[in-house]
Amino acid sequence: MSSPSTSRKRARDGEADSALQNCSIFNSSSSFEDTLTFSDTLVALRMMRAQFPAMDKVAVEPFILRSQLYSSLKDRTQVDRELELLKQDNVLRIFKLNTGQDDDAVMFMDDYINQIGRAVKKFDSKGEDEIKVFDWFKTHVLYSKREPSIGHDELLSLLSVGGPVNDESISLLINAGLLTRKLIDANLFWFAIPNIGSILKGISQGRKELLSLLKRTKYKEMMLTPLEKKRLRYSPLDMRFHLRDLIGSVYGKANQSRGGYDASKLWRMGGNNRDDDVPLARFVIKWTTPVAVYFK
């Protein structure tokens, strides 16, 4: 007899597959305007996974930022609720990213297992007894601890289900990029995505570059379609990835107006205190016919 979790997963997968089969835009070359909004979190996740940019010299499985989901679904509470259910069913994992902002990355569990496999290959020269910890990490830790962080003692306890472990075992996981220590507490670890360092830098630099690009236009506006085709110099990620991130990283709600959909974000820079922050730029993404991006 299948578990309730398994039954939910099958039903959910069936609904998502049906929705995608009815969606002719499920491909990486689809227009950004055509794939901007969804009604289901899992469908949005799968669409964005399919459209994750291919990158040279960076071996990372597709991931989606929470902000990108916020850009494509009207109800953020619904997004958070459905992500939590998918996480509890081990369909995906959520990671805290070290980008300088409060960014969450979402990666399907199967993709994360593949990413671990890539990271472990560089340890093939080590003894078989040493690298067993990677299998124990996948089997006994990932599917038991679904939160983005874990304590030292709990980690050792879960790993020890597989066999004898010590702090050297944890060091091996850290060196493989599967864990990072929390700065505020050395006994706490973030779960991490291996080989993502250069992409984290690209996320931050791409945000700044996109903002600068829009500021330099004559009327501080640009049509969305040509904007999507522009290439960013300082990010390995494509413009579509950054536009979705930018639209979803709003302070406040994205409102559906009579003329179309508005989303705004206030970027701030300033002094030492939060109260000293001053507006750097405010832009609004609007799509009616045609779609335009402009500052306000």
Side-chain angles (χ1 to χ4, degrees):
M1 181 180 295
S2 61
S3 66
S5 175
T6 303
S7 299
R8 281 200 311 272
K9 183 177 184 299
R10 288 175 179 170
R12 184 174 53 238
D13 287 348
E15 292 172 0
D17 290 341
S18 176
L20 290 174
Q21 288 171 2
N22 294 327
C23 184
S24 61
I25 56 178
F26 186 54
N27 62 76
S28 59
S29 61
S30 303
S31 165
F32 181 42
E33 295 177 40
D34 290 336
T35 60
L36 207 49
T37 58
F38 303 93
S39 59
D40 180 88
T41 301
L42 185 56
V43 172
L45 283 166
R46 290 187 172 178
M47 177 71 76
M48 293 179 194
R49 180 192 181 281
Q51 295 179 341
F52 189 79
M55 293 172 285
D56 297 332
K57 301 178 182 179
V58 182
V60 174
E61 295 288 328
F63 65 88
I64 300 94
L65 300 178
R66 188 187 293 262
S67 59
Q68 293 172 322
L69 291 172
Y70 286 163
S71 77
S72 296
L73 292 113
K74 297 178 183 178
D75 189 341
R76 295 187 177 202
T77 302
Q78 174 195 345
V79 172
D80 293 340
R81 184 187 306 116
E82 292 180 352
L83 282 179
E84 182 64 23
L85 289 173
L86 291 166
K87 182 183 73 174
Q88 293 301 324
D89 286 347
N90 287 317
V91 174
L92 53 78
R93 287 198 70 88
I94 300 175
F95 303 88
K96 290 291 183 182
L97 298 184
N98 185 22
T99 57
Q101 297 190 27
D102 188 22
D103 286 317
D104 290 340
V106 181
M107 182 177 280
F108 283 101
M109 182 67 85
D110 290 344
D111 289 333
Y112 188 54
I113 296 300
N114 291 336
Q115 188 72 25
I116 293 175
R118 291 180 178 182
V120 171
K121 286 182 179 179
K122 65 181 180 181
F123 296 93
D124 286 346
S125 60
K126 289 188 172 291
E128 183 177 346
D129 289 341
E130 289 184 84
I131 62 176
K132 282 182 179 179
V133 68
F134 295 116
D135 288 330
W136 300 340
F137 179 78
K138 289 186 292 186
T139 304
H140 305 300
V141 178
L142 288 186
Y143 290 96
S144 299
K145 186 66 174 180
R146 299 174 179 87
E147 299 308 310
S149 63
I150 188 170
H152 176 274
D153 292 343
E154 184 179 9
L155 177 60
L156 283 180
S157 175
L158 291 173
L159 289 172
S160 66
V161 175
V165 291
N166 51 36
D167 284 342
E168 291 184 5
S169 304
I170 294 180
S171 295
L172 203 59
L173 295 172
I174 293 174
N175 292 336
L178 302 176
L179 297 171
T180 59
R181 289 187 186 275
K182 279 192 175 184
L183 296 178
I184 58 173
D185 190 341
N187 288 318
L188 288 175
F189 303 91
W190 291 114
F191 290 100
I193 302 172
N195 304 325
I196 201 175
S198 62
I199 297 182
L200 295 183
K201 184 178 180 181
I203 290 174
S204 298
Q205 292 184 333
R207 284 169 172 165
K208 295 177 182 178
E209 189 177 352
L210 175 55
L211 178 61
S212 177
L213 175 66
L214 290 172
K215 285 180 63 182
R216 291 198 305 269
T217 58
K218 184 176 181 180
Y219 299 106
K220 297 183 179 179
E221 68 178 27
M222 185 177 293
M223 304 305 297
L224 184 57
T225 299
L227 179 58
E228 180 193 358
K229 296 177 181 178
K230 288 188 174 292
R231 295 178 62 86
L232 296 168
R233 296 174 58 193
Y234 303 111
S235 174
L237 300 156
D238 62 12
M239 182 63 80
R240 184 190 315 223
F241 183 97
H242 285 287
L243 282 171
R244 275 206 171 100
D245 167 49
L246 210 54
I247 296 169
S249 299
V250 298
Y251 296 125
K253 291 184 178 180
N255 299 314
Q256 188 78 26
S257 67
R258 183 177 181 182
Y261 175 98
D262 297 343
S264 63
K265 176 181 175 64
L266 180 63
W267 288 74
R268 294 182 179 272
M269 59 180 291
N272 298 324
N273 299 318
R274 192 175 185 87
D275 293 338
D276 295 332
D277 288 352
V278 296
L280 172 62
R282 179 189 293 273
F283 66 87
V284 178
I285 310 283
K286 277 194 174 183
W287 58 96
T288 51
T289 304
V291 178
V293 180
Y294 66 89
F295 285 98
K296 186 177 181 180

